[in-house]
Amino acid sequence: MEKNKKVIIGWIGVSITVILSSVWAYWGAFENFHEGWYATSIGDNLCMFLLQYMVFAIIFVLLALVILRWKRMGFLLHLIFGGFCIYFFSGASFNVLGLLIIIPFAVLGLLYYFGEPEPKKWAYRLIIIVPLVITLAISIPQGIKVSQRINDNDFGMRIVEGNGVTLAWAPRGPGWPDKGTSWKEAQDICKYLSEDGTTTMKEEQNIWRLPTVDEAVRSMMLHDENAGGVWYPEEEKDVYDRTPDKETPLWDVHSKVIYYWTSDTSVKDEQQAYIIVYHGGIFDKRKIDRQDYMSFRAVKEIN
């Protein structure tokens, strides 16, 4: 009877490990190809994939493998990693830090310490195979998609004829920075941009500006062709004939920036403005946000 309890407790631990590692593998694989995989080197991309996006899936798997073999060492490692995460991710939401990391580390450590999943070979197999299959099932098609992105390496001023709109998009430089900027910073930079978009002048020029949501949606492209985007402001809904992607002439495939500010303030909150994602999605963000992946690209009318 005592042995059966240990087996049940052990398999509860295995089940939780498989579920959590699979959730993190699912999230990590998608996020890697959404906001990551922008480096020019395959080695750098793989390092980013493993160390940034798959790290928690890997940790849950490794800790389970260790504690199945060496109980005391594994239990201690669960506590150490839990304490480290409390310190390192102190500003994170409890829904993420607590429910998906800290509490599971503590609970799993206890379950494995007092439990004994039998047969162990199946515990090992499930812990390794399930998250691995999920990772590969997502990463392979996403990797193929990313490898087919168009990149003509022309990061100068681009004239983009959209779905009923034609605009000049600023060249790489102050009007198209490869770093995070807030909405207000983006607006101010646009005001001072020179005619060719390469220099910030001392006085306002008022030549360049941020695109409206409608202009941005209508300008999105896929494989050098307009994506047929239309923005419905009443419904706050974007519709495309083809889903756009992170490609030239509008995006830099080797930049971490995946969001551009638009000039439009959110109808729901004046402290927020709309951003456009490389895949065409429209969302509202706080105007003070300036994460590395959130920037802008100035536009101007064609005379």
Side-chain angles (χ1 to χ4, degrees):
M1 187 67 177
E2 186 68 24
K3 183 178 180 180
N4 288 338
K5 286 183 179 180
K6 286 188 174 183
V7 171
I8 293 172
I9 292 172
W11 275 106
I12 291 174
V14 171
S15 300
I16 294 175
T17 293
V18 170
I19 291 171
L20 288 174
S21 62
S22 296
V23 168
W24 282 111
Y26 179 89
W27 173 86
F30 270 118
E31 283 298 301
N32 174 65
F33 291 101
H34 171 57
E35 66 179 28
W37 208 266
Y38 54 79
T40 56
S41 163
I42 186 70
D44 290 343
N45 283 323
L46 287 174
C47 285
M48 189 188 310
F49 174 55
L50 295 173
L51 300 179
Q52 182 172 338
Y53 296 101
M54 298 302 296
V55 62
F56 283 113
I58 293 172
I59 288 175
F60 274 112
V61 169
L62 290 180
L63 287 179
L65 297 180
V66 170
I67 201 169
L68 283 175
R69 181 67 178 84
W70 301 285
K71 282 186 178 292
R72 291 183 179 179
M73 180 189 298
F75 182 69
L76 181 61
L77 286 175
H78 275 79
L79 297 181
I80 290 174
F81 272 103
F84 173 77
C85 289
I86 291 175
Y87 169 77
F88 192 79
F89 300 104
S90 58
S93 164
F94 175 79
N95 289 336
V96 176
L97 180 63
L99 298 182
L100 292 178
I101 301 175
I102 305 303
I103 293 176
F105 276 149
V107 171
L108 285 171
L110 292 171
L111 289 172
Y112 282 119
Y113 189 80
F114 293 105
E116 198 70 49
E118 295 290 348
K120 274 192 178 181
K121 64 180 181 180
W122 277 106
Y124 284 119
R125 289 171 181 173
L126 288 173
I127 288 170
I128 295 172
I129 292 174
V130 174
L132 179 60
V133 169
I134 290 173
T135 301
L136 293 176
I138 295 171
S139 297
I140 291 175
Q142 290 295 314
I144 293 173
K145 177 184 175 183
V146 167
S147 70
Q148 295 173 339
R149 284 174 172 168
I150 300 297
N151 177 24
D152 60 16
N153 289 305
D154 181 355
F155 303 118
M157 186 189 306
R158 304 298 293 265
I159 308 299
V160 177
E161 296 184 8
N163 181 19
V165 60
T166 301
L167 294 170
W169 293 72
R172 174 65 79 202
W176 183 22
D178 191 23
K179 63 179 182 179
T181 55
S182 69
W183 185 78
K184 181 66 165 56
E185 289 172 335
Q187 294 271 28
D188 290 342
I189 291 172
C190 288
K191 294 177 183 178
Y192 289 87
L193 276 181
S194 60
E195 177 72 29
D196 62 4
T198 62
T199 307
T200 303
M201 309 298 284
K202 293 182 178 180
E203 297 181 355
E204 288 189 15
Q205 305 297 302
N206 294 313
I207 300 171
W208 297 85
R209 59 179 175 80
L210 294 179
T212 65
V213 174
D214 182 69
E215 290 170 336
V217 169
R218 291 179 181 275
S219 298
M220 289 295 102
M221 302 183 72
L222 176 67
H223 301 341
D224 279 334
E225 294 184 2
N226 185 266
V230 178
W231 171 246
Y232 296 95
E234 298 82 8
E235 305 172 40
E236 292 188 278
K237 182 179 180 181
D238 52 273
V239 177
Y240 295 89
D241 294 337
R242 296 170 296 281
T243 302
D245 204 355
K246 188 182 179 184
E247 302 177 334
T248 53
L250 294 178
W251 302 86
D252 181 354
V253 298
H254 294 305
S255 170
K256 65 179 64 176
V257 174
I258 57 175
Y259 306 130
Y260 287 159
W261 287 111
T262 72
S263 62
D264 294 338
T265 294
S266 171
V267 297
K268 295 178 290 187
D269 186 349
E270 290 189 355
Q271 301 303 312
Q272 297 185 333
Y274 292 110
I275 60 167
I276 188 163
V277 192
Y278 67 82
H279 56 54
I282 299 295
F283 302 93
D284 40 22
K285 292 285 187 179
R286 296 181 306 166
K287 293 179 178 180
I288 60 173
D289 287 346
R290 50 174 302 165
Q291 292 89 341
D292 288 343
Y293 47 75
M294 186 181 303
S295 191
F296 73 98
R297 190 169 183 181
V299 299
K300 68 176 182 177
E301 283 80 11
I302 302 300
N303 297 325

